[in-house]
Amino acid sequence: MPLTGIEIFKLLPKTNCGECGVPTCLAFAMKLASGKAELSACPHVTEEAKANLEEASAPPILPVTIGAGAAAPRVGGETVMFRHEKRFENPPALAILISDTMAEAEVKARLDKCRQLQYERVGLTLKPDLVALKADSGDARKFEALVNQAKGSGCPLILMSDHPDILAAGLKACADQKPLLYAATEGNIDRVAGLAKENSCPVAVKASGPEGLARLTEKLTAAGIRNIVLDSGARTVRQALEDQVIIRSAALNKKFRPLGFPTITFPAEMTDDPMKEAVIASMFIAKYAGIIVLSDFRGESLFPLLVERMNIFTDPQRPLATTEGIYEINNPTENSPVLITSNFSLTYFIVSGEIENSKVPSWLLVKDTEGLSVMTSWAAGKFSADIIAPFVKKCGIMDKVKHQKLVIPGYLAAESGGLEEELPGWEILVGPREGAHIPAYLKTWQS
Amino acid sequence: MAFEVPKTAYSGQIKEIKLGQGDKAVTVGGESSYPFYLFEGEMPHLPRIAMEVYDCPPEEWPEAALEPFAGVTDDPVAWAKKCLSDYGAEMICLQLLSTDPNGLDRGADEAAEVVKKVADAIDVPLIVWGTANHDKDTEVLRKVAELCQDKSLILGPVEEADHKKIGAAAIGYQHTVVASTPIDINLAKQLTILLGNLGVPDELIVMDPTVSGIGYGIEYCYSVMERMRMAALTQQDDKLQFPIICNIAKETWKTKEAKISEAEDPRMGDVKKRGILLEAMSAMAMLLAGGDVLIMRHPEAIKLVREMIAELTKA
C-alpha cells in the first residue's frame, strides 16, 4: 500500500536543507509519494527511515525473479483477486521436474523439451520456464552432476532437497544462475536461509498451512531475506485450492505481509495420472499459483496450459491484437476469395478458424483496427470505406489474385457503397455477420 | 503477527433450481460462496454434467470425438441411451443441429418428434438446445415445448429477441428457460428481468453467458461469470442469483487445435489426449468461475472433471 505524502514526511529529517533539489521536506515527500522523486536524492535520511519507506511502499505480494538473465521469469507482484478488477500481472512459471535418479539420456530428453516445446500464437511465443532438479538420490555428488548437466539448458533452475548439504552442493555448481532454493522448513531454516543470503538466491519456504508459513517467513524477513516463495504443503486438490485463495486474500485484503509472496505448487506430487495432473495445473493457473511444477512436459497438455495461461493473464483492458497483413489459409491461388476483417485477435481466430474449417482456399486481409472487433471499430469510424480502400490497394493483394472481388464482414454492409466508390473496378460482396456462417458462404463463392 | 483466515462478506446466495422431474431430477445452485470456497461457505448441490447428443450425424468431428459414440451417431435415441448406460450420464443435452437454417434446416415438427422420442426414452433431465437463430428457435422450441409438455425440459438458447414467445411456451408447459446473453453482465441481468416480467417464475430460469474454449476467448466468459457471482453473492443482485449453464464441449472440439495431428506438428503431442484436455481444462475454468451445469462430450473429459469436482468438495 503506497504511503501518503504526510506519512513519508514523518520519516524525513524535516530540516528543509534543500540538498535534494526541493526547498522543503514536505514538498520532497509529496514528490516521492507521486513517484516523481527518488529517496536517494536525500543525503540525510536515516537507514531506519529508508527501510520503513521501502517496506511500506512494497507491493502486497512481492514480485520475485527466479534465476538470472533474460529468461528468468518474474512471479508474484499481484494486486487483485479477480482479473476483471484490473489484470493479473505475472503469469505462473511452468517447471519440469527432473530427478537425479534419472538416466542421463532421460535428463537430456527433458532438457531438450524445454527448448523445443515452444509455440507461436498471435505473434507471442508461448513456452515453459523452469527446470526443477530434485535430489531424490540423497547423494550430493549425483545431485551436483545433475545440476552440471542442466545448467546449460537456458532454463532457470529450482534446486530441490530437504538436506542443506545437498542443496549446497548443487548450488555450488550454479550459484551465478540464482536458482530457487527449495526448501527452507522449520527444521533447516537457519542453514537454508544462510545459503540463500550468501548467494543472493530466492528461497522457497515449506510449512503445513498458511500459519506455519507466516512464522517461517517472519524469521526470513527478520534476517534480511525478501525473495521468498511459499509452499503451503497442500497436496490434495481441495486443500491446495483453499490455501492459494487464503494466502492471496490474506496478502491483498488483510495486508498480511508474512504471506505477501508468490506461491509454488506441485501437480507433479498430487497424482500419477498425467491427464489429471494437467487439469490440476489448469486450476492453479487460474487460481493464484506463482510456480507450477509438472512431472513432465508433453505437447498435448503443455500447449493447452500455455494457451490457458495466455488467456487468463491477458489484460482485460488491452485485448490481444493480430499483426496487420495478408493471411493465406488453405493454400489460396490467384482465383481464391479475398476476405477482410479486423485485427482483434479473437476475431482473427474465429474468422480464420471458420475459413480453415470450410477447406476453401482463401486470402484473409487483416486490417489494423487498433485491436477492436469488427462492430466496435466500425462504430468508432475506424473500419470505414476510406480506411479499408487504401489498405486494399497498398497491401499487395492485387498482385496475388486475378479477380477484384472483396468479401466484407456482414456487419460492414453499410460500407459497401462507399467501398465501391473508393475501389473502382472492385466488386464488393457482403459476407455473413457470424463467423459460423462463413463456411456455407465460401462454398458458394465464385471467382 | 497472529494469523486469521480471511473471509469474504457474503450477503446472498444462488437460487436452487430443480431440473427435470421424478427420481432422476437434479437440483443445482444454492451456493453461498465463490465456487469451491468451502472454507467460507457452502455448496449444497454439486455442479452437474450433461452429455451431448446430436439430432443429426455430426460432420467434421475429429476421430477422438466420434470414437466413444461409434454406431449411434445416426440415432439420437440410441446415442442418448448409450450415454446413460455406458457413460453414466446424469443429464442429456440434445443439440438440435439439424434445424440450422444454414444447414439441414429441418422443420419444427420433424425436429420436435425426435425430441419427444429421446425424452420418452430417458429418465434423466433433458436439455434441448437450438441454433440461436431467433425465428427458427422460436418455431422449433415452441413446438418442442408443446409436444413434450409433461417432460420438464430445459430449453435454450432463449435470447432477448425471442424470449417472449419461447418464454410464454415455457410458462405454459412448465419448462426451464436458459436465458442466453452474449458475454455481457448487464444484458444477462436485463434478460432475467424481462423473463420475470413476462411471468417466468425464478424456479424456471438458468443463465447462459455464452462460453468459448481455451484459445478462443475463454477469458471473456470466465470474467463475466466471476462478475456475475460477485454481484449475486456480495452485492445483493438477485437478478443474477441463478445457476449458470455452459455449452462448452462443442466450442472446444470444433477448433483446429483439437484436430491437428501429431504428425503434422509433433510439438502438439497426441491429438486424442489434446482434444480431451482442451475440453476438460476449458470445463475446469468454467467450474472455477461459477458453472453449475456443464454440457460436455468426451467420456474421458467428463471423468476428469467429475473427479475434480469430487476432490474439490471432499470433506
Side-chain angles (χ1 to χ4, degrees), chain A residues 82-85 116-119 121 210-211 218 237-238 241-242 245-246 249-250 254 256 258-259 273 275-276 278-280 282-283 286-288 299-301 303-305 307-308 311-312 314 319 344 346 349-350 354 356-357 437 440 443, chain B residues 1-3 5-7 34-39 60 100 102 213-220 222-223 226-227 230 254 256-257 259 265-270 273-274 276-278 280-281 284-285 288 300 304 307-308 311-315:
Chain A
F82 295 96
R83 63 184 292 277
H84 68 260
E85 291 177 309
Q116 289 156 1
L117 294 181
Q118 302 195 3
Y119 311 86
R121 200 166 174 89
E211 193 154 5
E218 281 179 313
V237 172
R238 177 172 166 176
L241 174 69
E242 291 188 0
V245 173
I246 287 168
S249 178
K254 301 292 180 197
F256 187 65
L259 292 178
D273 175 356
M275 300 287 280
K276 187 166 176 179
V279 181
I280 292 174
S282 77
M283 175 185 83
K287 285 297 187 187
Y288 311 149
E300 62 260 12
S301 50
F303 173 77
L305 286 173
V307 180
E308 183 206 351
N311 291 160
I312 297 286
T314 294
F344 174 38
L346 192 55
F349 276 124
I350 292 170
E354 293 293 352
E356 269 193 56
N357 281 344
H437 302 152
K443 286 179 179 138
Chain B
M1 254 192 265
F3 176 71
V5 174
K7 305 223 171 150
Y34 289 131
F36 304 104
Y37 286 23
L38 295 172
F39 64 94
E60 300 184 1
D100 186 354
N102 289 309
I214 286 170
Y216 287 81
I218 193 170
E219 67 272 27
Y220 290 95
Y222 183 83
S223 284
E226 288 201 310
R227 290 173 67 197
M230 195 183 257
K254 74 184 191 191
K256 75 174 184 224
E257 289 80 359
K259 298 180 187 180
D265 187 351
R267 297 169 306 167
M268 295 290 272
D270 178 85
K273 290 181 178 169
R274 188 183 341 123
I276 291 168
L277 284 175
L278 281 167
M281 285 165 48
M284 190 69 226
L288 292 170
E300 287 182 48
L304 285 166
E307 272 175 39
M308 287 301 284
E311 297 245 20
L312 284 166
T313 54
K314 203 186 275 188

Side-chain angles (χ1 to χ4, degrees), chain A residues 271-344:
Chain A
T271 177
D272 288 330
D273 175 356
M275 300 287 280
K276 187 166 176 179
E277 185 184 335
V279 181
I280 292 174
S282 77
M283 175 185 83
F284 284 131
I285 285 179
K287 285 297 187 187
Y288 311 149
I291 300 174
I292 299 171
V293 181
L294 301 171
S295 65
D296 198 358
F297 286 158
R298 291 186 177 89
E300 62 260 12
S301 50
L302 186 64
F303 173 77
L305 286 173
L306 288 169
V307 180
E308 183 206 351
R309 182 176 77 172
M310 179 180 87
N311 291 160
I312 297 286
F313 283 78
T314 294
D315 183 340
Q317 309 284 344
R318 303 182 50 209
L320 294 175
T322 304
T323 315
E324 183 175 88
I326 304 175
Y327 290 75
E328 301 181 19
I329 304 176
N330 302 327
N331 297 311
T333 68
E334 55 192 12
N335 298 314
S336 299
V338 176
L339 303 93
I340 186 167
T341 194
S342 77
N343 80 330
F344 174 38

Side-chain angles (χ1 to χ4, degrees), chain A residues 64-79:
Chain A
V64 175
T65 302
I66 310 294
R74 211 164 96 122
V75 296
E78 301 298 335
T79 61

Side-chain angles (χ1 to χ4, degrees), chain B residues 225-236:
Chain B
M225 287 165 67
E226 288 201 310
R227 290 173 67 197
M228 282 173 164
R229 282 291 144 107
M230 195 183 257
L233 298 171
T234 70
Q235 293 161 4
Q236 295 165 316

Side-chain angles (χ1 to χ4, degrees), chain A residues 128-317:
Chain A
D129 311 277
L130 302 172
V131 170
L133 303 175
K134 192 153 186 243
D136 280 324
S137 70
D139 178 341
R141 277 171 315 160
K142 265 199 143 181
F143 189 54
E144 204 180 327
L146 175 60
V147 174
N148 279 319
Q149 194 183 350
K151 71 185 183 185
S153 70
C155 264
L157 305 174
I158 305 174
L159 304 183
M160 298 177 65
S161 176
D162 290 331
H163 302 285
D165 287 335
I166 299 181
L167 216 46
L171 182 52
K172 213 161 51 122
C174 67
D176 57 322
Q177 292 191 14
K178 310 281 184 249
L180 173 65
L181 299 178
Y182 179 92
T185 61
E186 188 77 56
N188 67 16
I189 185 167
D190 292 329
R191 280 217 58 200
V192 175
L195 281 175
K197 200 157 185 194
E198 276 153 36
N199 295 278
S200 306
C201 290
V203 60
V205 175
K206 182 175 177 181
S208 69
E211 193 154 5
L213 281 173
R215 276 200 302 273
L216 292 181
T217 63
E218 281 179 313
K219 279 195 188 162
L220 289 176
T221 48
I225 295 173
R226 297 183 64 225
N227 289 318
I228 299 168
V229 170
L230 308 174
D231 176 2
S232 79
R235 297 295 186 264
T236 60
V237 172
R238 177 172 166 176
Q239 191 65 58
L241 174 69
E242 291 188 0
D243 284 352
Q244 296 304 302
V245 173
I246 287 168
I247 289 170
R248 179 166 296 194
S249 178
L252 293 186
N253 298 327
K254 301 292 180 197
K255 313 285 185 245
F256 187 65
R257 289 279 178 201
L259 292 178
F261 302 100
T263 60
I264 180 168
T265 59
F266 292 89
E269 294 179 8
M270 295 169 72
T271 177
D272 288 330
D273 175 356
M275 300 287 280
K276 187 166 176 179
E277 185 184 335
V279 181
I280 292 174
S282 77
M283 175 185 83
F284 284 131
I285 285 179
K287 285 297 187 187
Y288 311 149
I291 300 174
I292 299 171
V293 181
L294 301 171
S295 65
D296 198 358
F297 286 158
R298 291 186 177 89
E300 62 260 12
S301 50
L302 186 64
F303 173 77
L305 286 173
L306 288 169
V307 180
E308 183 206 351
R309 182 176 77 172
M310 179 180 87
N311 291 160
I312 297 286
F313 283 78
T314 294
D315 183 340
Q317 309 284 344

